[in-house]
PDB file of all heavy atoms in Angstrom:
ATOM      1  N   ASP A 348      -8.601  32.541  -6.918  1.00 81.00           N
ATOM      2  CA  ASP A 348      -9.249  33.896  -7.059  1.00 81.00           C
ATOM      3  C   ASP A 348     -10.313  33.915  -8.077  1.00 81.00           C
ATOM      4  O   ASP A 348     -11.261  34.733  -8.024  1.00 81.00           O
ATOM      5  CB  ASP A 348      -8.131  34.889  -7.352  1.00 81.00           C
ATOM      6  CG  ASP A 348      -7.291  35.212  -6.140  1.00 81.00           C
ATOM      7  OD1 ASP A 348      -7.782  35.082  -4.982  1.00 81.00           O
ATOM      8  OD2 ASP A 348      -6.099  35.490  -6.285  1.00 81.00           O
ATOM      9  N   GLU A 349     -10.198  33.143  -9.145  1.00 78.00           N
ATOM     10  CA  GLU A 349     -11.162  33.163 -10.211  1.00 78.00           C
ATOM     11  C   GLU A 349     -12.298  32.182 -10.019  1.00 78.00           C
ATOM     12  O   GLU A 349     -13.186  32.013 -10.851  1.00 78.00           O
ATOM     13  CB  GLU A 349     -10.490  32.931 -11.533  1.00 78.00           C
ATOM     14  CG  GLU A 349      -9.551  34.063 -11.945  1.00 78.00           C
ATOM     15  CD  GLU A 349      -8.702  33.766 -13.204  1.00 78.00           C
ATOM     16  OE1 GLU A 349      -8.890  32.716 -13.774  1.00 78.00           O
ATOM     17  OE2 GLU A 349      -7.944  34.610 -13.605  1.00 78.00           O
ATOM     18  N   GLY A 350     -12.269  31.424  -8.906  1.00 75.00           N
ATOM     19  CA  GLY A 350     -13.296  30.457  -8.658  1.00 75.00           C
ATOM     20  C   GLY A 350     -14.607  31.075  -8.227  1.00 75.00           C
ATOM     21  O   GLY A 350     -14.709  32.284  -8.014  1.00 75.00           O
ATOM     22  N   LEU A 351     -15.597  30.290  -8.069  1.00 74.00           N
ATOM     23  CA  LEU A 351     -16.932  30.747  -7.724  1.00 74.00           C
ATOM     24  C   LEU A 351     -17.291  30.706  -6.217  1.00 74.00           C
ATOM     25  O   LEU A 351     -18.370  31.059  -5.819  1.00 74.00           O
ATOM     26  CB  LEU A 351     -18.032  29.880  -8.496  1.00 74.00           C
ATOM     27  CG  LEU A 351     -17.934  29.926 -10.034  1.00 74.00           C
ATOM     28  CD1 LEU A 351     -18.900  28.971 -10.600  1.00 74.00           C
ATOM     29  CD2 LEU A 351     -18.095  31.345 -10.515  1.00 74.00           C
ATOM     30  N   ALA A 352     -16.338  30.270  -5.423  1.00 74.00           N
ATOM     31  CA  ALA A 352     -16.592  30.146  -4.006  1.00 74.00           C
ATOM     32  C   ALA A 352     -16.692  31.500  -3.359  1.00 74.00           C
ATOM     33  O   ALA A 352     -16.151  32.470  -3.804  1.00 74.00           O
ATOM     34  CB  ALA A 352     -15.363  29.340  -3.338  1.00 74.00           C
ATOM     35  N   PRO A 353     -17.435  31.619  -2.203  1.00 78.00           N
ATOM     36  CA  PRO A 353     -17.567  32.896  -1.511  1.00 78.00           C
ATOM     37  C   PRO A 353     -16.223  33.362  -0.985  1.00 78.00           C
ATOM     38  O   PRO A 353     -15.263  32.545  -0.857  1.00 78.00           O
ATOM     39  CB  PRO A 353     -18.590  32.582  -0.397  1.00 78.00           C
ATOM     40  CG  PRO A 353     -18.505  31.112  -0.235  1.00 78.00           C
ATOM     41  CD  PRO A 353     -18.223  30.549  -1.571  1.00 78.00           C
ATOM     42  N   PRO A 354     -16.085  34.642  -0.594  1.00 77.00           N
ATOM     43  CA  PRO A 354     -14.800  35.190  -0.152  1.00 77.00           C
ATOM     44  C   PRO A 354     -14.158  34.416   0.952  1.00 77.00           C
ATOM     45  O   PRO A 354     -12.957  34.162   1.007  1.00 77.00           O
ATOM     46  CB  PRO A 354     -15.137  36.628   0.251  1.00 77.00           C
ATOM     47  CG  PRO A 354     -16.339  36.953  -0.532  1.00 77.00           C
ATOM     48  CD  PRO A 354     -17.108  35.678  -0.687  1.00 77.00           C
ATOM     49  N   GLU A 355     -14.910  33.998   1.954  1.00 75.00           N
ATOM     50  CA  GLU A 355     -14.402  33.255   3.145  1.00 75.00           C
ATOM     51  C   GLU A 355     -13.784  31.951   2.734  1.00 75.00           C
ATOM     52  O   GLU A 355     -12.749  31.461   3.257  1.00 75.00           O
ATOM     53  CB  GLU A 355     -15.388  33.105   4.276  1.00 75.00           C
ATOM     54  CG  GLU A 355     -16.634  32.302   3.932  1.00 75.00           C
ATOM     55  CD  GLU A 355     -17.723  33.045   3.296  1.00 75.00           C
ATOM     56  OE1 GLU A 355     -17.485  34.232   2.860  1.00 75.00           O
ATOM     57  OE2 GLU A 355     -18.861  32.564   3.222  1.00 75.00           O
ATOM     58  N   ARG A 356     -14.412  31.245   1.736  1.00 75.00           N
ATOM     59  CA  ARG A 356     -13.869  30.044   1.219  1.00 75.00           C
ATOM     60  C   ARG A 356     -12.600  30.247   0.501  1.00 75.00           C
ATOM     61  O   ARG A 356     -11.627  29.470   0.628  1.00 75.00           O
ATOM     62  CB  ARG A 356     -14.917  29.303   0.436  1.00 75.00           C
ATOM     63  CG  ARG A 356     -14.457  28.115  -0.356  1.00 75.00           C
ATOM     64  CD  ARG A 356     -13.971  26.972   0.564  1.00 75.00           C
ATOM     65  NE  ARG A 356     -14.997  26.501   1.422  1.00 75.00           N
ATOM     66  CZ  ARG A 356     -14.850  25.356   2.164  1.00 75.00           C
ATOM     67  NH1 ARG A 356     -13.731  24.685   2.166  1.00 75.00           N
ATOM     68  NH2 ARG A 356     -15.887  25.013   2.936  1.00 75.00           N
ATOM     69  N   ARG A 357     -12.554  31.307  -0.321  1.00 79.00           N
ATOM     70  CA  ARG A 357     -11.323  31.594  -1.081  1.00 79.00           C
ATOM     71  C   ARG A 357     -10.179  31.886  -0.112  1.00 79.00           C
ATOM     72  O   ARG A 357      -9.072  31.473  -0.392  1.00 79.00           O
ATOM     73  CB  ARG A 357     -11.552  32.799  -2.055  1.00 79.00           C
ATOM     74  CG  ARG A 357     -12.438  32.436  -3.215  1.00 79.00           C
ATOM     75  CD  ARG A 357     -12.255  33.441  -4.406  1.00 79.00           C
ATOM     76  NE  ARG A 357     -12.564  34.780  -4.086  1.00 79.00           N
ATOM     77  CZ  ARG A 357     -13.816  35.315  -4.206  1.00 79.00           C
ATOM     78  NH1 ARG A 357     -14.795  34.582  -4.632  1.00 79.00           N
ATOM     79  NH2 ARG A 357     -13.963  36.547  -3.904  1.00 79.00           N
ATOM     80  N   MET A 358     -10.484  32.616   0.966  1.00 79.00           N
ATOM     81  CA  MET A 358      -9.454  32.914   1.935  1.00 79.00           C
ATOM     82  C   MET A 358      -8.903  31.582   2.545  1.00 79.00           C
ATOM     83  O   MET A 358      -7.647  31.476   2.721  1.00 79.00           O
ATOM     84  CB  MET A 358     -10.007  33.813   3.016  1.00 79.00           C
ATOM     85  CG  MET A 358      -8.970  34.371   3.940  1.00 79.00           C
ATOM     86  SD  MET A 358      -9.609  35.577   5.135  1.00 79.00           S
ATOM     87  CE  MET A 358     -10.145  36.861   3.950  1.00 79.00           C
ATOM     88  N   ALA A 359      -9.811  30.750   2.878  1.00 77.00           N
ATOM     89  CA  ALA A 359      -9.404  29.380   3.474  1.00 77.00           C
ATOM     90  C   ALA A 359      -8.568  28.596   2.453  1.00 77.00           C
ATOM     91  O   ALA A 359      -7.581  27.938   2.839  1.00 77.00           O
ATOM     92  CB  ALA A 359     -10.650  28.609   3.862  1.00 77.00           C
ATOM     93  N   ASP A 360      -8.968  28.672   1.134  1.00 81.00           N
ATOM     94  CA  ASP A 360      -8.205  27.957   0.146  1.00 81.00           C
ATOM     95  C   ASP A 360      -6.762  28.495  -0.011  1.00 81.00           C
ATOM     96  O   ASP A 360      -5.827  27.717  -0.246  1.00 81.00           O
ATOM     97  CB  ASP A 360      -8.954  27.948  -1.196  1.00 81.00           C
ATOM     98  CG  ASP A 360     -10.193  27.090  -1.199  1.00 81.00           C
ATOM     99  OD1 ASP A 360     -10.242  26.248  -0.322  1.00 81.00           O
ATOM    100  OD2 ASP A 360     -11.045  27.230  -2.038  1.00 81.00           O
TER     101      ASP A 360
END
Side-chain angles (χ1 to χ4, degrees):
D348 287 330
E349 294 174 358
L351 300 176
E355 64 273 14
R356 171 61 62 168
R357 290 202 297 270
M358 189 175 296
D360 287 343

